[in-house]
Amino acid sequence: HLYYALEVACFAIAAALAAALALRAAIPGRSRGPGGPIAVIVLAMIGTRLVMVGAPMRTGYPLAEFLHTGLGCAVATCALGALPWITLWWAVKRGVPERGAAAGGLIGAAAMLFSFALMRLNCPIDEPLHVITWHLMPALLLTALSAVAGALWLRFRPRTRLN
């Protein structure tokens, strides 16, 4: 289906762009305009819109079934994003990021949008309410938490010498 292919492509391209921007953020003195992160956000919004128009939204699920199926997908989304997140975090931490929150947010976006794209290929449920609730929302939540972690632990700290 065309919407499905475009949706997965939007999220995969947004993830790759966010990863490149996160690695670039570790280089001090590089001029960074808002264009890169805005492009990531726009691609993710286009992908989200494609999720919603790809199929009609069904809201008549029994709550127990919705939760049981969805929690497994949320955990899988987080687990798939863990290795790319750790790898990017390590690479950016080795550099000198000047804006920790931005670098952390880009790391989280790269890992979790990549995870979201993989889950769209892996999960047999294409219903928009399931995809947005159990795939996209955990990805966005962990991206926000990554930005907070970046603000705390990726700040530039000049090394001081003890005389």
Side-chain angles (χ1 to χ4, degrees), residues 74-85 111-112 114-119 122:
V75 168
T77 299
C78 297
L80 278 173
L83 183 61
W85 187 87
M112 297 315 298
F114 174 73
S115 172
F116 178 83
L118 286 178
M119 281 301 293
N122 189 34

Side-chain angles (χ1 to χ4, degrees), residues 56-142:
M57 193 169 297
R58 184 176 150 221
T59 58
Y61 289 113
L63 183 60
E65 177 187 337
F66 185 70
L67 290 173
H68 177 70
T69 305
L71 287 175
C73 285
V75 168
T77 299
C78 297
L80 278 173
L83 183 61
W85 187 87
I86 290 168
T87 303
L88 277 172
W89 188 274
W90 175 80
V92 170
K93 183 70 175 163
R94 291 186 52 89
V96 186
E98 294 174 342
R99 297 185 206 162
L106 288 168
I107 291 167
M112 297 315 298
L113 291 175
F114 174 73
S115 172
F116 178 83
L118 286 178
M119 281 301 293
R120 283 299 286 144
L121 296 173
N122 189 34
C123 183
I125 302 171
D126 286 334
E127 203 283 311
L129 185 62
H130 171 84
V131 172
I132 290 171
T133 304
W134 299 112
H135 296 211
L136 187 60
M137 294 307 281
L140 294 177
L141 178 66
L142 288 178

